[in-house]
């Protein structure tokens, strides 16, 4: 069992989470995949103090994520697309090439 802090808007086990939310995952392999995809990060007690001290400060969220390099992995393009307002399931269903085509200037 792992306790994680959500890094980006994500649907985990059918529940929608916002950045900063805490989630407990029973499946260690699934938790590792969420961390690898960049959707979550391990939670520890040192996270609690900065979060409390920043109460009232807006989280910049994904809308301020930089445009990935063209050669970036699909996961980075998915996170960027979600940050630009694309629904998560739609972004994950698209190919990397389609995500690039939608978001490159």
């Amino acid at each position: 069992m792992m306790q994680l802090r959500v890094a980006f808007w994500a649907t985990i086990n059918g529940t929608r989470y916002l950045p900063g939310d805490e989630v407990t995952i029973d499946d260690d392999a699934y938790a590792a995949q969420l961390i690898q995809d960049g959707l979550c990060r391990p939670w520890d007690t040192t996270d609690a103090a900065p979060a409390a001290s920043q109460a009232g400060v807006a989280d910049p969220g994904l809308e301020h994520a930089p445009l990935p390099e063209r050669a970036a992995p699909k996961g980075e393009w998915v996170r960027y697309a979600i940050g630009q307002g694309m629904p998560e399931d739609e972004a994950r269903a698209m190919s990397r090439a389609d995500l690039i085509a939608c978001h490159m200037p």
Side-chain angles (χ1 to χ4, degrees), residues 6-101:
V6 177
F8 299 100
W9 293 279
T11 301
I12 301 170
N13 293 331
T15 303
R16 187 81 170 155
Y17 292 94
L18 299 175
D21 287 349
E22 296 172 22
V23 61
T24 301
I25 305 294
D26 293 330
D27 181 353
D28 288 341
Y30 183 53
Q33 185 65 46
L34 292 170
I35 293 168
Q36 180 181 352
D37 289 346
L39 296 175
C40 294
R41 58 187 170 88
W43 183 89
D44 61 29
T45 55
T46 59
D47 287 339
S53 68
Q54 293 178 0
V57 175
D59 181 0
L62 290 171
E63 64 271 7
H64 298 292
L67 182 69
E69 294 290 324
R70 187 176 291 272
K74 180 182 176 185
E76 289 184 34
W77 282 101
V78 168
R79 284 190 297 276
Y80 181 78
I82 293 169
Q84 298 303 307
M86 183 178 284
E88 180 182 354
D89 55 344
E90 183 180 332
R92 290 190 181 281
M94 292 178 75
S95 71
R96 182 179 157 278
D98 289 340
L99 288 166
I100 292 169

